[in-house]
Amino acid sequence: MDAVRVALLREVLAGTEWLGATRRFGGTLRGSVVSYGGGLLLVGSETYEPWHLAAHLVDEAAWSGTPELSPTLVRHGARESGPAHLAVGLGRIEAARRGETLLVVAPDAPGAALLERVHDARRAGATVLALSHGEGELPTLAHESLAVPPDPELDLDTVQHLVSAAAGENALPAPRGRHRLRDRLSRIADRLTAPPSYRW
């Protein structure tokens, strides 16, 4: 979905809770990955792989100049013999640590095996975000959760478009953390190396 379609969708949803909710969730996602310099893991449920969201986040990462938004897609049926970007299995969630963000997209209830891995990742210090139907154990495991109940007018795919677009927006607040000093130094260097301004 391109920027024009996202803008039209936002116009249609103006005045509903979804516009603010998806912007907040997208801002949380962006803030989480940018403040730690990356490390975004994206996983779906056993019956759903969020390929579409992965592709949109890669696009948003490129368009916004925020490479940290580019996710690693974690797959339930990954094969080591496959291409590198398709060979990341659930063991990667077990290896998640502080500074990494795990985004779980589950239109149906995740199984116990995935929930256990998500719980372990959270205990190890990873930030857990969830896009789901809002029931079950997943929202309670997440630091931030956006519930998308079944609705014929607004489905999970549409919400994913809004979230990815919001995550890529440059108007979101500047991240806190280790990049802050670097950003200030960069601005100072730009001022010092800029040509002098002459007044006539």
Side-chain angles (χ1 to χ4, degrees):
M1 188 177 285
D2 59 30
V4 173
R5 289 182 183 164
V6 169
L8 288 172
L9 182 57
R10 286 178 170 169
E11 194 174 312
V12 168
L13 294 173
T16 70
E17 64 182 68
W18 289 108
L19 208 51
T22 54
R23 277 205 160 119
R24 276 190 301 278
F25 192 83
T28 299
L29 172 59
R30 180 184 175 117
S32 177
V33 296
V34 169
S35 63
Y36 285 105
L40 175 58
L41 304 175
L42 176 62
V43 67
S45 65
E46 291 80 350
T47 60
Y48 179 83
E49 284 193 335
W51 293 94
H52 206 70
L53 180 57
H56 281 291
L57 286 171
V58 168
D59 289 344
E60 291 296 339
W63 295 332
S64 67
T66 313
E68 299 90 347
L69 282 175
S70 193
T72 297
L73 181 62
V74 178
R75 303 182 64 218
H76 290 264
R79 294 190 179 119
E80 290 182 17
S81 60
H85 69 287
L86 299 177
V88 180
L90 294 177
R92 180 61 182 88
I93 296 175
E94 294 170 7
R97 295 291 175 257
R98 182 173 305 285
E100 293 184 296
T101 301
L102 174 60
L103 174 55
V104 184
V105 181
D108 50 1
L114 177 59
L115 290 172
E116 186 176 332
R117 286 180 168 97
V118 171
H119 181 260
D120 290 345
R122 180 178 171 132
R123 278 197 347 208
T127 299
V128 177
L129 305 177
L131 269 174
S132 70
H133 55 54
E135 297 174 1
E137 195 177 339
L138 180 59
T140 62
L141 289 175
H143 292 92
E144 185 83 22
S145 180
L146 181 58
V148 187
D151 184 339
E153 294 182 11
L154 188 68
D155 60 5
L156 185 64
D157 284 338
T158 303
V159 170
Q160 289 178 65
H161 285 297
L162 293 169
V163 166
S164 61
E169 285 179 337
N170 288 320
L172 293 169
R176 295 184 169 269
R178 65 181 183 196
H179 294 293
R180 192 176 214 188
L181 176 61
R182 188 179 349 162
D183 291 341
R184 289 194 350 227
L185 290 173
S186 176
R187 285 194 300 273
I188 291 170
D190 287 345
R191 268 192 248 137
L192 291 174
T193 58
S197 58
Y198 295 100
R199 296 187 182 194
W200 304 98

